[in-house]
PDB file of all heavy atoms in Angstrom:
ATOM      1  N   ALA A  22      14.482  19.946 -16.816  1.00 93.00           N
ATOM      2  CA  ALA A  22      15.831  20.413 -16.492  1.00 93.00           C
ATOM      3  C   ALA A  22      16.875  19.620 -17.289  1.00 93.00           C
ATOM      4  O   ALA A  22      17.849  20.192 -17.801  1.00 93.00           O
ATOM      5  CB  ALA A  22      16.086  20.263 -14.997  1.00 93.00           C
ATOM      6  N   LEU A  23      16.660  18.326 -17.405  1.00 92.00           N
ATOM      7  CA  LEU A  23      17.602  17.500 -18.170  1.00 92.00           C
ATOM      8  C   LEU A  23      17.591  17.890 -19.644  1.00 92.00           C
ATOM      9  O   LEU A  23      18.651  17.992 -20.279  1.00 92.00           O
ATOM     10  CB  LEU A  23      17.245  16.017 -18.022  1.00 92.00           C
ATOM     11  CG  LEU A  23      17.432  15.404 -16.638  1.00 92.00           C
ATOM     12  CD1 LEU A  23      17.123  13.916 -16.667  1.00 92.00           C
ATOM     13  CD2 LEU A  23      18.854  15.614 -16.157  1.00 92.00           C
ATOM     14  N   LEU A  24      16.403  18.118 -20.180  1.00 92.00           N
ATOM     15  CA  LEU A  24      16.308  18.519 -21.590  1.00 92.00           C
ATOM     16  C   LEU A  24      16.992  19.860 -21.813  1.00 92.00           C
ATOM     17  O   LEU A  24      17.719  20.048 -22.794  1.00 92.00           O
ATOM     18  CB  LEU A  24      14.842  18.603 -22.006  1.00 92.00           C
ATOM     19  CG  LEU A  24      14.153  17.260 -22.269  1.00 92.00           C
ATOM     20  CD1 LEU A  24      12.678  17.465 -22.558  1.00 92.00           C
ATOM     21  CD2 LEU A  24      14.825  16.543 -23.447  1.00 92.00           C
ATOM     22  N   LEU A  25      16.745  20.781 -20.897  1.00 94.00           N
ATOM     23  CA  LEU A  25      17.370  22.106 -21.012  1.00 94.00           C
ATOM     24  C   LEU A  25      18.889  21.978 -20.947  1.00 94.00           C
ATOM     25  O   LEU A  25      19.622  22.621 -21.712  1.00 94.00           O
ATOM     26  CB  LEU A  25      16.858  23.007 -19.883  1.00 94.00           C
ATOM     27  CG  LEU A  25      17.383  24.433 -19.882  1.00 94.00           C
ATOM     28  CD1 LEU A  25      16.894  25.189 -21.118  1.00 94.00           C
ATOM     29  CD2 LEU A  25      16.927  25.180 -18.624  1.00 94.00           C
ATOM     30  N   PHE A  26      19.336  21.127 -20.035  1.00 93.00           N
ATOM     31  CA  PHE A  26      20.782  20.919 -19.883  1.00 93.00           C
ATOM     32  C   PHE A  26      21.380  20.354 -21.172  1.00 93.00           C
ATOM     33  O   PHE A  26      22.423  20.813 -21.640  1.00 93.00           O
ATOM     34  CB  PHE A  26      21.024  19.954 -18.715  1.00 93.00           C
ATOM     35  CG  PHE A  26      22.468  19.706 -18.422  1.00 93.00           C
ATOM     36  CD1 PHE A  26      23.214  20.625 -17.700  1.00 93.00           C
ATOM     37  CD2 PHE A  26      23.095  18.556 -18.872  1.00 93.00           C
ATOM     38  CE1 PHE A  26      24.551  20.398 -17.434  1.00 93.00           C
ATOM     39  CE2 PHE A  26      24.436  18.328 -18.610  1.00 93.00           C
ATOM     40  CZ  PHE A  26      25.166  19.245 -17.885  1.00 93.00           C
ATOM     41  N   LEU A  27      20.690  19.385 -21.756  1.00 92.00           N
ATOM     42  CA  LEU A  27      21.195  18.779 -22.999  1.00 92.00           C
ATOM     43  C   LEU A  27      21.182  19.806 -24.136  1.00 92.00           C
ATOM     44  O   LEU A  27      22.102  19.831 -24.968  1.00 92.00           O
ATOM     45  CB  LEU A  27      20.338  17.563 -23.366  1.00 92.00           C
ATOM     46  CG  LEU A  27      20.608  16.327 -22.504  1.00 92.00           C
ATOM     47  CD1 LEU A  27      19.552  15.261 -22.724  1.00 92.00           C
ATOM     48  CD2 LEU A  27      21.993  15.760 -22.805  1.00 92.00           C
ATOM     49  N   ALA A  28      20.151  20.647 -24.149  1.00 91.00           N
ATOM     50  CA  ALA A  28      20.102  21.694 -25.171  1.00 91.00           C
ATOM     51  C   ALA A  28      21.276  22.642 -25.003  1.00 91.00           C
ATOM     52  O   ALA A  28      21.922  23.051 -25.991  1.00 91.00           O
ATOM     53  CB  ALA A  28      18.781  22.450 -25.069  1.00 91.00           C
ATOM     54  N   LEU A  29      21.584  22.974 -23.758  1.00 91.00           N
ATOM     55  CA  LEU A  29      22.723  23.859 -23.486  1.00 91.00           C
ATOM     56  C   LEU A  29      24.025  23.195 -23.929  1.00 91.00           C
ATOM     57  O   LEU A  29      24.923  23.865 -24.484  1.00 91.00           O
ATOM     58  CB  LEU A  29      22.783  24.205 -21.996  1.00 91.00           C
ATOM     59  CG  LEU A  29      21.774  25.240 -21.515  1.00 91.00           C
ATOM     60  CD1 LEU A  29      21.837  25.365 -19.989  1.00 91.00           C
ATOM     61  CD2 LEU A  29      22.067  26.600 -22.143  1.00 91.00           C
ATOM     62  N   MET A  30      24.143  21.924 -23.653  1.00 88.00           N
ATOM     63  CA  MET A  30      25.342  21.193 -24.071  1.00 88.00           C
ATOM     64  C   MET A  30      25.493  21.233 -25.596  1.00 88.00           C
ATOM     65  O   MET A  30      26.594  21.426 -26.130  1.00 88.00           O
ATOM     66  CB  MET A  30      25.260  19.734 -23.610  1.00 88.00           C
ATOM     67  CG  MET A  30      25.444  19.512 -22.132  1.00 88.00           C
ATOM     68  SD  MET A  30      27.067  19.933 -21.519  1.00 88.00           S
ATOM     69  CE  MET A  30      28.078  18.711 -22.351  1.00 88.00           C
TER      70      MET A  30
END
Side-chain angles (χ1 to χ4, degrees):
Chain A
L23 293 184
L24 283 175
L25 182 65
F26 182 79
L27 285 169
L29 283 173
M30 287 295 294

